[in-house]
Amino acid sequence: MPVIYPGQTIGIIGNDQRAYMLALKAKEMGYRVAAIVTPQIQNTAFTSLIDCQIDGELNDYQKLSQLGEVSQVLTYTNELLDEALLEQLAQQYYLPQGSNVLSVTQDRYLEKVFLNDLNINIPPFATIVDVDDIYQAIESIGYPCILKPIQKGYGKQYQRFIQQPSDLEKDAASLKLGTYILESWIPDAQELSVMVVKCKTGQIVTLPVIENEFDDHRLKMSLVPARINQDVATEINRLAHLIGDKLDYIGVFGVEFFLTPDMNIYVKRIIPTPHATGDVLSHTLNFSQYEYHLKVICQLAVGPARLNSAGMMLGVQERQRSLIQTQMKIKPDWYFNLHTVTADQQIGLVTATGQTIQPLIANFEAADLY
């Protein structure tokens, strides 16, 4: 495929914050943006960026084909799209990310097999089909552990945290979604991630390691550089390169990790698109993850990553709106990005940068934001 230059059209398949951020960067770089607009994102900040709007659903092949017809390159930000539809789409239109990666990342078992085949450390797990499997797996995995549907995409309400034998009595009857994975809980783990850039030529660039904090499955905070030693950073970069070499994918993807207090590293999961944890890099790195992704899929030159400053990012919820508005009036050096991606939920980011992490944490704490 030829190089895709500014002025040409990028078709974005997604209706989430990542789609909005990618469209924002594409417009900033001079590209036109086309997208399928679902009912949930009508009249939002995302639709205001779109040059060519196709109304419909993301898993409607007719709409996907219309998007392909008006775009020079297609990209997706939704990791739960129908793999078969994207495979069909890739046969007719330029979709650098491909669809094969989704068969690995959408299925927890296949993802673990992929990582196991690379001799990568993952939390102990077992496949669960019936109640007896849970009791047998507990004998080897032990407590605590987590029961999850094998297919990703189901909400947190379908996951069960099993802390003691009495929990089995109420959870064993909840196997309503077919096959599950029972996974060992990694206690007191530091959560880390790294965004990986993979080019069509095979070139791989790893971005700086990010430290994350989650609250009830929602990203609460990301900071960079992660508070880890150089040996851990080196090993995470090695694992990221190893995964990137074997993953059938072009573009930016993420890998999440657990780091235990005794310095054991476990891979948590692979994210086959740019990811929210990488947003802290937007104001700290020479190029954001979105610009890297656009450069790769448009076949522009990609260089090494350079961290210009430390950074801390918080996800903003609707209940924090008044607090954030106050900070907007008194924090001239903070970066605020508030936007409505879906009609019923306000999503935003606030990022602070500096020479070191600790003063940034202290400033957020003083503002009652963290």
Side-chain angles (χ1 to χ4, degrees):
M1 289 294 297
V3 174
I4 295 154
Y5 293 105
Q8 295 182 282
T9 301
I10 297 171
I12 298 176
I13 308 168
N15 61 357
D16 52 11
Q17 179 179 318
R18 287 171 276 185
Y20 168 76
M21 298 290 279
L22 193 64
L24 197 63
K25 179 56 67 174
K27 296 292 288 184
E28 184 181 306
M29 292 171 66
Y31 288 97
R32 288 171 49 82
V33 170
I36 296 173
V37 175
T38 62
Q40 297 92 333
I41 62 169
Q42 289 284 358
N43 303 315
T44 63
F46 181 29
T47 56
S48 69
L49 299 171
I50 298 172
D51 298 290
C52 182
Q53 176 174 321
I54 298 168
D55 294 330
E57 297 294 338
L58 300 180
N59 280 327
D60 182 334
Y61 188 74
Q62 182 180 2
K63 301 299 181 181
L64 290 170
S65 294
Q66 291 178 26
L67 186 65
E69 290 293 334
V70 299
S71 306
Q72 279 69 59
V73 60
L74 296 173
T75 185
Y76 54 84
T77 62
N78 186 327
E79 58 190 294
L80 300 175
L81 292 169
D82 188 316
E83 179 203 355
L85 286 182
L86 290 186
E87 181 181 7
Q88 185 180 355
L89 191 69
Q91 293 173 1
Q92 290 185 273
Y93 306 101
Y94 183 42
L95 180 70
Q97 288 160 286
S99 61
N100 293 340
V101 66
L102 298 179
S103 64
V104 174
T105 59
Q106 289 180 355
D107 185 301
R108 288 187 167 93
Y109 175 74
L110 293 180
E111 183 178 56
K112 291 178 184 300
V113 169
F114 171 81
L115 294 168
N116 258 336
D117 288 346
L118 296 178
N119 294 316
I120 289 175
N121 208 21
I122 59 175
F125 76 99
T127 305
I128 304 299
V129 177
D130 55 36
V131 173
D132 289 340
D133 292 336
I134 300 178
Y135 287 99
Q136 292 177 18
I138 289 285
E139 293 181 7
S140 58
I141 290 177
Y143 298 101
C145 52
I146 310 174
L147 186 67
K148 306 175 181 178
I150 198 168
Q151 288 294 328
K152 296 180 183 177
Y154 292 106
K156 63 183 179 181
Q157 67 269 27
Y158 294 101
Q159 299 187 18
R160 297 290 182 268
F161 183 62
I162 302 174
Q163 197 166 8
Q164 54 195 359
S166 61
D167 293 333
L168 289 173
E169 297 175 7
K170 59 188 177 189
D171 291 332
S174 63
L175 301 177
K176 300 176 181 178
L177 299 176
T179 306
Y180 283 68
I181 289 289
L182 189 70
E183 183 178 281
S184 178
W185 174 260
I186 308 299
D188 303 318
Q190 186 180 10
E191 298 216 32
L192 306 168
S193 63
V194 64
M195 305 311 299
V196 187
V197 185
K198 184 176 181 182
C199 302
K200 193 174 180 66
T201 61
Q203 176 190 3
I204 292 176
V205 177
T206 55
L207 307 188
V209 181
I210 301 160
E211 181 178 343
N212 304 297
E213 184 178 324
F214 293 86
D215 181 17
D216 195 24
H217 297 260
R218 187 190 296 274
L219 180 64
K220 179 181 179 182
M221 176 275 292
S222 295
L223 58 83
V224 65
R227 293 171 291 185
I228 55 176
N229 64 42
Q230 187 55 51
D231 288 343
V232 170
T234 298
E235 177 62 8
I236 284 177
N237 275 279
R238 184 189 74 81
L239 294 172
H241 271 84
L242 180 60
I243 292 169
D245 282 336
K246 298 299 182 181
L247 206 61
D248 186 6
Y249 180 87
I250 302 298
V252 168
F253 68 93
V255 186
E256 293 185 340
F257 301 85
F258 293 121
L259 176 66
T260 68
D262 55 358
M263 297 294 111
N264 285 322
I265 300 172
Y266 296 91
V267 170
K268 177 182 176 184
R269 68 171 183 137
I270 302 168
I271 307 104
T273 67
H275 187 243
T277 62
D279 285 338
V280 69
L281 302 173
S282 295
H283 300 292
T284 58
L285 207 63
N286 50 338
F287 297 109
S288 73
Q289 61 171 337
Y290 302 104
E291 188 157 359
Y292 268 114
H293 186 73
L294 291 166
K295 282 172 172 280
V296 169
I297 66 171
C298 292
Q299 300 194 55
L300 306 181
V302 170
R306 182 183 68 251
L307 192 64
N308 295 322
S309 65
M312 180 174 177
M313 179 198 75
L314 295 180
V316 177
Q317 303 305 313
E318 177 62 35
R319 66 181 182 275
Q320 297 172 302
R321 181 189 291 271
S322 62
L323 281 173
I324 291 297
Q325 289 175 340
T326 297
Q327 297 305 313
M328 290 175 121
K329 294 184 287 186
I330 61 178
K331 292 292 194 305
D333 54 348
W334 284 14
Y335 298 92
F336 299 93
N337 190 335
L338 300 181
H339 49 268
T340 304
V341 175
T342 59
D344 60 348
Q345 185 180 21
Q346 179 72 29
I347 297 176
L349 306 172
V350 54
T351 306
T353 62
Q355 293 185 336
T356 57
I357 289 294
Q358 196 53 47
L360 306 180
I361 296 175
N363 285 338
F364 277 123
E365 289 176 338
D368 290 329
L369 291 172
Y370 178 69

